[in-house]
Amino acid sequence: MIDPRLAELLDAAPGLRLKTGPADLEHYGRDWTRRWTPAPLAVALPGTVEEVQAVGRGANRHKVAIVPSGGRTGLSGGAVAAHGELVLSLERMNRVLDFDPVDRTLTVQAGTPLEAVQEAARGHGLQYPVDFAARGSCTIGGNIATNAGGIRVIRYGNTREWVAGLKVVTGAGEVLELNRGLVKNSSGYDLRHLFIGSEGTLGIVVEATLKLTDPVPQGSVMLLALPSFEVLMQVFAEFRARLRLEAFEFFTDVALRHVLAHGGQAPFAGTYPYYVVTEFAGGDEATEAAAMAAFEHCMEQGWIVDGVISQSGAQAAQLWRLREGITESIARYTPYKNDVSVRISAMPAFLARAQALLGQAYPQYEVVWFGHIGDGNLHINVLKPADVDGAEFVAHCEQVTRLLAQALQEHGGSISAEHGIGLVKKPYLGSIRSPEEIALMRGIRRVFDPNGILNPGKLLDA
Amino acid sequence: MIDPRLAELLDAAPGLRLKTGPADLEHYGRDWTRRWTPAPLAVALPGTVEEVQAVGRGANRHKVAIVPSGGRTGLSGGAVAAHGELVLSLERMNRVLDFDPVDRTLTVQAGTPLEAVQEAARGHGLQYPVDFAARGSCTIGGNIATNAGGIRVIRYGNTREWVAGLKVVTGAGEVLELNRGLVKNSSGYDLRHLFIGSEGTLGIVVEATLKLTDPVPQGSVMLLALPSFEVLMQVFAEFRARLRLEAFEFFTDVALRHVLAHGGQAPFAGTYPYYVVTEFAGGDEATEAAAMAAFEHCMEQGWIVDGVISQSGAQAAQLWRLREGITESIARYTPYKNDVSVRISAMPAFLARAQALLGQAYPQYEVVWFGHIGDGNLHINVLKPADVDGAEFVAHCEQVTRLLAQALQEHGGSISAEHGIGLVKKPYLGSIRSPEEIALMRGIRRVFDPNGILNPGKLLDA
């Protein structure tokens, strides 16, 4: 028999699709964290803004918790529904609604995958430059909920920079049209920016108007081999000074080993402890000369010990795969993930501290490091050995995360650079936000969601 | 005898400077609007963050309203103190605190003038690119409070884009360190962005960490003469497609006449109804050829009827003066100012509508138009004839603003592009923000300032 709350919802919105089968509840109740047992009440799949409003109103009436749901590629548990929540999936709202060539904006529904946004932009001769490996599965609504970053932040910034307008449905079922695509609008608090990164706790993003930019012609990609992490920032400084960097990503030999075991192609005859993949715009002679000058200077200094530069688009893609394949190649080890950031200038000191800390804390685990060095963002993945119990492994890793959070606090860093807080990082929020800030956030949340039905338990406890 | 509330304040913060003389009260109690009679209780001039905290605590205890005060160059009455408020001037807190070459950030106290920030950036071989004519008098704190825009938004965006971190003092006297200069930080609501554009209603910005960028070598400046406003967007599209625009500003013959009467140098032998001043980066041959191609194409189409390109830095500055001198040249007519924006694509339709509306509404007044066409931002200045009473003039203009606000609402535009809401635009807030949005803003304000002491009466009524 159908839950009476759902029956009433269907009365209010007869076109609303609902799923309640066990396989659906499991599929829609979890994200990529795989740490919680999914147990939603049901899955609502609205096809229109009005249906989203109906879900909001119904949920408010019955105090049913809503978990807004995009591609569920999140790594912090922000889209997990483990306590009888109603999952509100935006997957049917996945259309490009409008392109404006004068404003150079694309208006899309929140369930549109990132890759579909990128393709639509390219179809109009423009570029939506936010990019990362989950592009095919993640949705723009989820990107906005976490202010997603990725591999081109060094040049283009985070998702936040590209949002010209948002249409959201509040917990009370009201529609807000935030900023409406304006370049300039100084008319009170910019609620658009408050929603970006709010992890579904203030309302449900249903549409976004995204800024587009000129496409960058295929640049060159270089893979560099480094002898130690101490020289990483020198290499970065040298390349940044001479080139217009589109990306500057680092990873370790351990990371590369996993990618190669997963089908990647070895870039060098030998192996080295650290690698950087960097891309820069401009296929012209001056750019190539600048790249060679940077490379040679670093070689002379001993900061680089080997390197290769792409000679074609295919080769560039091959080099990129070495970096982008990391997450997939280690997925079967159910890694415990840290996604931390510090100011770029604090990177050397923090890196040294973190390496010492983790080497000591995890002598028995394999640790895979990679990250966006030009943004001060490190990803630290601890791999679970097959013979260690999952809960025990997580408990151990959480202890180490506490130490890491303390180190981050001392270096002015953040426990979440781009994954969001969700459930996973909640215990460590106090390392980056003060008690006063947390109290203010809680107050804001109450203003938007007085009944506490929007993604409760995520980000902050009520 | 000193007010006991002030005496207590001096007890708590003995180093705090206070001014209570009539000339000071008048000077610090008003901004560039000149519409209200200044009547503050006193002026507090803290020299440290601790003194700002002491003022916040004291004001809270006695429910004394605080008006945060920068350069008071605002045009919406946001810094007016006309009801016994305590003006909190940041003018003594005007130092550059830190420069970081790796992060490429400059940390400054809130009272630092914009021009001093620009100069400090230049001193380090970098650029702080937000710019407008009040640069010498306005302060960075005020820029942040209104999310100031200016003449280079088309290329660099508004102040918001350049703030990597904020230190603020809340109404309760607590210090918040928001975002701490991080590039990536997805750890809950971005309160930094909430403060940007909040017009001193959520707290007092005391320090800002600003992003810097590479300086752009002196580009070329072109002044174009246009036969009608209908071709404005075509000229813009043509130049934008071929050049990397640093600015694209429009003004009318009436505006030019005032600048010339004020000492400017006539650019052409004849006069034309509309003018554009545009600047583009790159002094190389390819750029010059592209500029000439754009110019010639527009001439052939009849969209441009005359033009001049700068041959030197001095000439570029001279051409810029024709646009930048407008505000000063009309100041003695105590103009009634509208600062409106629409999406760029909505500009032609809105311009036509606004021109018809204002031509009909103000047959007896001179109207000076100028604006940032590439950002969808128009400045409309109505000049007061000498023989019309001030109050009567404002009352008449307010009637017309109501019609303009209605037109803006129909075109999805904003009644305040970059000046803020303050007192002047408050009656029209409902044309851009919905009742639900306004209620949410009010709720947020209460969270930050439960006693209602921060710039009360500005932006929103409590």
Side-chain angles (χ1 to χ4, degrees), chain B residues 48-98:
Chain B
T48 64
V49 173
E50 291 71 25
E51 288 179 2
V52 175
Q53 291 180 271
V55 172
R57 288 196 204 101
N60 252 287
R61 202 175 309 120
H62 294 291
K63 309 271 194 298
V64 175
I66 290 176
V67 177
S69 194
R72 292 177 303 288
T73 57
L75 298 165
S76 292
V80 164
H83 297 98
E85 301 97 332
L86 181 63
V87 173
L88 197 164
S89 165
L90 278 301
E91 76 176 30
R92 289 179 60 218
M93 294 176 68
N94 60 1
R95 277 175 309 125
V96 173
L97 300 176
D98 189 35

Side-chain angles (χ1 to χ4, degrees), chain A residues 164-224:
Chain A
L166 285 182
K167 186 184 278 191
V168 304
V169 173
T170 64
E174 281 154 358
V175 174
L176 306 180
E177 303 229 33
L178 304 176
N179 200 58
R180 301 160 196 247
L182 296 170
V183 176
K184 281 178 157 182
N185 177 18
S186 184
S187 62
Y189 312 150
D190 196 327
L191 303 183
R192 163 186 51 153
H193 280 290
L194 195 58
F195 268 88
I196 299 169
S198 66
E199 305 190 29
T201 63
L202 300 179
I204 299 136
V205 174
V206 290
E207 284 176 26
T209 296
L210 304 168
K211 302 179 207 174
L212 305 179
T213 185
D214 289 320
V216 172
Q218 172 73 50
S220 295
V221 176
M222 253 183 160
L223 182 75
L224 310 169

Side-chain angles (χ1 to χ4, degrees), chain B residues 215-366:
Chain B
V216 172
Q218 170 75 50
S220 296
V221 176
M222 253 182 160
L223 182 74
L224 311 169
L226 279 60
S228 73
F229 78 80
E230 283 85 2
V231 301
L232 202 49
M233 297 312 288
Q234 275 101 311
V235 175
F236 171 60
E238 179 67 20
F239 275 77
R240 180 169 75 165
R242 293 186 192 254
L243 292 157
R244 200 163 162 198
L245 298 181
E246 297 275 313
F248 194 91
E249 301 277 304
F250 120 102
F251 52 97
T252 62
D253 57 343
V254 184
L256 182 64
R257 208 183 315 128
H258 281 282
V259 175
L260 296 184
H262 211 254
Q265 198 165 341
F268 303 117
T271 61
Y272 305 99
Y274 297 93
Y275 300 93
V276 161
V277 59
T278 180
E279 181 171 334
F280 36 89
D284 53 304
E285 270 178 44
T287 306
E288 229 157 87
M292 284 320 294
F295 180 76
E296 278 160 19
H297 177 77
C298 291
M299 285 288 275
E300 277 161 25
Q301 299 292 322
W303 302 335
I304 292 179
V305 286
D306 207 342
V308 54
I309 185 164
S310 65
Q311 302 296 334
S312 67
Q315 213 182 342
Q318 206 173 62
L319 293 176
W320 260 119
R321 223 167 290 138
L322 300 175
R323 160 65 186 84
E324 288 212 290
I326 298 172
T327 298
E328 200 186 329
S329 75
I330 59 175
R332 62 195 170 113
Y333 301 98
T334 51
Y336 180 91
K337 286 169 185 288
N338 284 121
D339 156 43
V340 304
S341 64
V342 291
R343 287 175 71 137
I344 309 165
S345 55
M347 197 58 137
F350 175 74
L351 250 179
R353 172 85 179 274
Q355 284 218 331
L357 178 75
L358 296 174
Q360 212 169 15
Y362 294 132
Q364 74 280 44
Y365 300 155
E366 200 172 38

Side-chain angles (χ1 to χ4, degrees), chain A residues 100 102-103 105 146 158 183-187 189 201 240 341 343-345 372 377 414 416 418 433, chain B residues 100 102-103 105 146 158 183-187 189 201 240 341 343-345 372 377 414 416 418 433 436:
Chain A
D100 191 303
V102 178
D103 292 315
T105 53
T146 54
N158 300 291
V183 176
K184 281 178 157 182
N185 177 18
S186 184
S187 62
Y189 312 150
T201 63
R240 179 169 76 165
S341 64
R343 286 175 73 137
I344 309 166
S345 55
H372 320 282
N377 180 194
S414 174
S416 177
E418 54 182 355
R433 311 297 292 260
Chain B
D100 190 304
V102 178
D103 292 314
T105 54
T146 53
N158 300 293
V183 176
K184 281 178 158 181
N185 178 19
S186 184
S187 62
Y189 312 150
T201 64
R240 180 169 75 165
S341 64
R343 287 175 71 137
I344 309 165
S345 55
H372 320 283
N377 180 192
S414 176
S416 177
E418 54 182 355
R433 312 296 292 261
E436 290 80 14

